[in-house]
């Protein structure tokens, strides 16, 4: 059944003035899931003005009251979990199990930031004057522009919107074009939870609308997750006008397997990290680096596991890997595999693609030289390349040889080797004996090099407070006592 979506501005659903757009089921491309009219410049300006008008009352409500609203939103997400998960699978293509996990993680995110409303606020410093107190005070930025990708259409918006709202900001959110229905469901929940009109606004619009959003002089902060080229474009705009910026970009993550690794753990983790969510994660493993000679048991287990993966529509409970998000994504990934083979790669393992329609890409394991293009450029799909390094130092150097630096995984029972990897790998997250994917929402999340911006991380409550507020210092000196 096709659903109609709209932008949400100042507490009302608003049909855009732009072109008509449709979202199709990637497992059955002839099936239209969602239709909508794209928002344009007029809707953007309406949303900005609504956010500005709503800001004083939302700030004045107080952080505890805002936290209670976020807690209600978390409860409503759980109430509607199955509807959201099915909408996500229909639009995105990921398996229903993966969608359900994302919905629960998103509810946890709202709960976490709701709870942090009771964290201590500010710091007191000693003063050289006996009748004076020096305190730090946090104040909201104002309007925050939020731009999110399609690969986690609920969880990444939750990472950004929940802390922005908690700290008294108003939000204008330009969501991903591939997942409009999921965005609408989140806005319905925020409104039902008690977020006042104008505080949270949604724009369903094309990519260029994001440039307009981040360029707007009334937008005090921008938080973005997406590709490196778009991130660099946004950085030039936002930093050029002196607004605050938080960005998480792409990754080309390495998994290092040392000779003493637990073979079963390393192989299953590498497959999950490379192929889970059809490889459409910025934290997915793109390269597996085998340290030293041998590793025949690991390669055999890797080949067996990948070859047996079951592809199909995400709604089918027997399916392990769904389609990629679009036909253009499928073509880009298969082209990258063909280019790698032309550059000297061998296909070690490949799963079987189901017959019929659907944007399916076979999960593929390649072997070949590190000079291949696929070993440097991010391919956003279920493809991983196995490389070799004679020593641990050589493996670390190879892992660091890209422009990215988001995550890395290391499998070893040698604590000294693990510590060396944590110290010397160019990655914002280094995981020992665990997949390169996944993180805890109370721990800071972010990368290095082209995977990030040299600014605040995400998720952790202290990090969120640092980005979504301005810190002021107040010198409170008593007036002299009257005689």
């Amino acid at each position: 059944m096709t659903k109609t979506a709209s932008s949400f501005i100042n507490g009302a659903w608003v049909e855009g003035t732009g072109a008509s757009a449709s979202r199709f089921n990637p497992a059955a491309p002839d099936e239209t899931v969602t239709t909508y009219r794209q928002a344009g410049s007029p809707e953007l300006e309406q949303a900005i003005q609504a956010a500005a008008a709503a800001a004083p009352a939302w700030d004045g409500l107080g952080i505890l009251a805002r936290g209670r609203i976020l807690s209600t939103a978390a409860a409503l997400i759980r109430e509607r979990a199955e509807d959201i998960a099915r909408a996500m699978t229909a639009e995105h293509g990921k398996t229903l199990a993966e969608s359900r996990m994302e919905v629960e993680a998103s509810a946890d995110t709202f709960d976490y930031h709701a709870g942090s409303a009771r964290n201590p606020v500010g710091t007191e410093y000693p003063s050289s004057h006996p009748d004076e107190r020096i305190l730090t005070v946090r104040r909201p930025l104002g309007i925050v522009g939020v731009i999110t990708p399609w690969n986690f259409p609920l969880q990444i918006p939750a990472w950004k919107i929940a802390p922005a709202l908690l700290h008294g900001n108003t939000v204008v959110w330009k969501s991903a074009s591939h997942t409009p229905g999921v965005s609408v469901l989140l806005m319905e929940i925020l409104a039902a939870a008690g977020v006042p009109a104008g505080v949270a606004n949604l724009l369903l619009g094309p990519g260029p609308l994001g440039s307009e959003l981040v360029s707007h002089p009334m937008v005090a902060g921008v938080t973005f997750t997406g590709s490196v080229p778009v991130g660099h474009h946004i950085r030039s705009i936002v930093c050029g006008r002196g607004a605050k910026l938080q960005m998480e970009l792409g990754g080309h993550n390495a998994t290092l397997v040392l000779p003493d690794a637990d073979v079963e753990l390393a192989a299953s983790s590498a497959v999950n990290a490379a192929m889970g969510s059809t490889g459409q994660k910025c934290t997915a493993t793109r390269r597996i680096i085998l340290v030293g000679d041998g590793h025949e048991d690991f390669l055999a287990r890797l080949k067996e596991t990948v070859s047996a993966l079951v592809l199909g529509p995400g709604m089918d409970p027997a399916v392990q890997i769904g389609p990629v998000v679009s036909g253009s994504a499928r073509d880009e990934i298969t082209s990258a595999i063909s280019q790698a083979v032309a550059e000297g790669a061998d296909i070690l393992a490949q799963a079987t693609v189901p017959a019929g329609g659907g944007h399916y890409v076979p999960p593929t394991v390649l072997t070949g030289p590190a000079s291949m293009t696929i070993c440097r450029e991010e391919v956003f799909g279920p493809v991983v390349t196995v490389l070799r390094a004679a020593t641990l130092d050589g493996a670390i150097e190879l892992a660091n040889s890209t422009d990215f630096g988001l995550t890395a995984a290391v499998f070893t029972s040698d604590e000294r080797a693990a510590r060396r990897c944590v110290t010397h790998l160019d990655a914002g997250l280094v995981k020992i004996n665990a997949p390169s994917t996944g993180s805890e929402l109370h721990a800071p999340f972010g990368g290095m090099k082209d995977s990030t911006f040299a600014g605040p991380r995400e998720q952790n409550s202290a990090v969120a407070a640092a980005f979504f507020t301005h810190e002021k210092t107040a010198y409170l000196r008593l007036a002299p006592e009257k005689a």
Side-chain angles (χ1 to χ4, degrees), residues 437-459:
T437 53
S439 61
E440 297 279 354
L441 63 88
H442 51 277
F445 176 88
M448 300 170 63
K449 302 194 291 190
D450 269 357
S451 290
T452 194
F453 170 71
R457 299 308 205 208
E458 289 195 278
Q459 297 191 41

Side-chain angles (χ1 to χ4, degrees), residues 142-156:
I143 301 173
V144 173
V146 176
I147 303 178
T148 56
W150 49 263
N151 59 329
F152 286 93
L154 191 69
Q155 190 171 358
I156 292 179

